[in-house]
Amino acid sequence: MKPSHTNARSLLRQLASERILVLDGAMGSLLASRGVNVSGPAWSARALLEAPEAVAAVHREYAEAGATVHTVNSFRATEAALSDWKKVGGPTIDV
């Protein structure tokens, strides 16, 4: 079942009416500063495959800093980006 953007907006409005929401921050720049390869059209997928512990650490640190809304590390993990990545020889996995 595809998630509904309307339902997501409604949920965020409800949560925001109950408390202050703090969004997490940058992922790519933090991963790059830690030596994770964030090059290529599907850099977020590459990070998930090659450095899942670094991705988890960044999410954990944002939670410890007080973030109450967390985004997923899927910025460039779109069908188009993954197709481009495959064209340039990026690794593929079966899911």
Side-chain angles (χ1 to χ4, degrees):
M1 184 162 122
K2 195 172 186 178
S4 165
H5 295 292
T6 303
N7 290 341
R9 281 191 209 110
S10 177
L11 176 61
L12 280 174
R13 281 190 191 105
Q14 177 187 344
L15 291 172
S17 73
E18 298 168 2
R19 63 185 139 177
I20 294 173
L21 301 178
V22 179
L23 186 63
D24 63 1
M27 177 63 73
S29 56
L30 276 178
L31 291 174
S33 73
R34 296 168 186 207
V36 175
N37 183 352
V38 292
S39 65
W43 66 266
S44 58
R46 175 187 299 248
L48 288 167
L49 287 170
E50 296 177 357
E53 68 291 337
V55 173
V58 170
H59 285 301
R60 190 170 36 257
E61 290 164 20
Y62 278 127
E64 290 168 357
T68 55
V69 178
H70 301 269
T71 56
V72 297
N73 185 45
S74 62
F75 173 67
R76 291 288 297 160
T78 63
E79 185 177 348
L82 293 172
S83 176
D84 290 344
W85 194 26
K86 187 176 179 181
K87 290 176 191 172
V88 296
T92 59
I93 59 168
D94 292 324
V95 291

